[in-house]
Amino acid sequence: MKQLFSILQSFVLEIINNEIYVNILSIVVVSYTTYQVAKFNASKPQKLKIKQLQLQNVYLPLFRIFSSSPKHPSRKQALAILKKITNVLDSHYELAFPQLHRLTLRLRNEIMSGKDPSKTLEIIRHQISTDYELLKKSLGYPSESLLSVFVRMTFSQKIRSFQILFNVLLLMAPGILVYIFFWNDHNKPALILTAVLLFFIFFTISPLLGYVIRHFDD
């Protein structure tokens, strides 16, 4: 077993030390970087348009609903708030974040079953307020500082922010690695192994964060 591992290790190092393979890897990384940057630039206007629609049609109306609602509503008031939220979400279902749909369904079930909906209402109020500020900031509207908004975020909202950060790192990583390859000719095996490890970490963490976001409401 040890001999087999030694043979495999020698084979991998031989490939890595081969200048042809290093050049091929560099070309692949450059191509990937170019593709990702082009994809990001092409999708950015569409993403900004969607954020504008989210703010205008969903989160601003919902923010106004909760701004004019009592902090501790009665069951009748909670039912009225639910109807208003439902009207907004039914009209613009695809523009709301999935957590808001799940929380609204939870609120409906609590009200219909006679349970206390105050906790769920407070979570919805908090999420709407935070997403409202984040959308304003991303679109360039006057808003609270990013630090104060981040402190107020719920757990799922903070995870969503970290996922965006990791996606940006994934976008930048190939370019950084190409720079390192071209300006550091020594110890290329270690550089390539480090690059592979970094890509593995980034590609593993980003889907994991997405999974957490999909399964947490607060």
Side-chain angles (χ1 to χ4, degrees):
M1 188 69 180
K2 187 179 292 185
Q3 185 177 6
L4 177 61
F5 177 78
S6 179
I7 293 172
L8 287 173
Q9 187 180 35
S10 300
F11 177 71
V12 171
L13 288 175
E14 184 178 345
I15 292 177
I16 290 175
N17 283 315
N18 190 313
E19 196 71 25
I20 295 175
Y21 288 106
V22 173
N23 291 335
I24 291 174
L25 179 62
S26 299
I27 292 171
V28 170
V29 173
V30 170
S31 300
Y32 176 81
T33 305
T34 304
Y35 167 75
Q36 290 296 332
V37 171
K39 180 181 176 182
F40 175 80
N41 290 334
S43 64
K44 188 175 181 180
Q46 179 66 13
K47 290 180 178 179
L48 289 176
K49 181 181 178 181
I50 291 172
K51 287 184 177 183
Q52 179 65 52
L53 291 173
Q54 284 181 303
L55 177 64
Q56 179 180 334
N57 296 317
V58 178
Y59 288 91
L60 176 57
L62 292 178
F63 181 79
R64 286 174 172 168
I65 289 171
F66 277 94
S67 296
S68 59
S69 299
K71 187 76 173 177
H72 303 288
S74 64
R75 185 179 182 278
K76 183 178 180 180
Q77 291 171 325
L79 184 58
I81 293 172
L82 173 63
K83 288 181 178 179
K84 292 178 182 179
I85 295 174
T86 302
N87 288 337
V88 173
L89 294 184
D90 285 348
S91 300
H92 306 284
Y93 187 91
E94 72 283 359
L95 294 177
F97 292 115
Q99 292 93 335
L100 185 55
H101 289 299
R102 293 197 294 270
L103 285 167
T104 303
L105 180 60
R106 185 202 296 180
L107 178 63
R108 179 189 300 277
N109 292 336
E110 288 175 349
I111 293 175
M112 293 300 104
S113 62
K115 295 180 181 178
D116 182 12
S118 57
K119 182 179 179 181
T120 301
L121 267 172
E122 187 57 32
I123 293 172
I124 293 175
R125 182 195 298 271
H126 188 80
Q127 282 213 350
I128 288 172
S129 174
T130 307
D131 283 327
Y132 171 69
E133 290 295 334
L134 287 172
L135 286 168
K136 284 203 304 178
K137 181 166 288 293
S138 65
L139 291 167
Y141 291 104
S143 59
E144 297 183 23
S145 69
L146 189 59
L147 179 60
S148 64
V149 175
F150 184 81
V151 170
R152 283 172 38 200
M153 284 182 188
T154 62
F155 178 73
S156 60
Q157 288 170 329
K158 288 178 180 178
I159 293 296
R160 192 193 307 158
S161 299
F162 281 120
Q163 186 185 34
I164 294 172
L165 175 62
F166 273 103
N167 288 339
V168 171
L169 290 174
L170 275 175
L171 187 66
M172 297 173 58
I176 296 173
L177 293 173
V178 169
Y179 177 84
I180 293 173
F181 287 151
F182 279 119
W183 291 97
N184 293 272
D185 291 329
H186 62 286
N187 204 12
K188 281 186 176 178
L191 289 172
I192 294 176
L193 289 174
T194 302
V196 171
L197 179 61
L198 286 174
F199 273 110
F200 176 78
I201 291 173
F202 287 142
F203 277 113
T204 301
I205 290 179
S206 187
L208 179 62
L209 293 178
Y211 176 84
V212 172
I213 292 171
R214 289 192 299 273
H215 290 80
F216 277 86
D217 295 324
D218 52 0

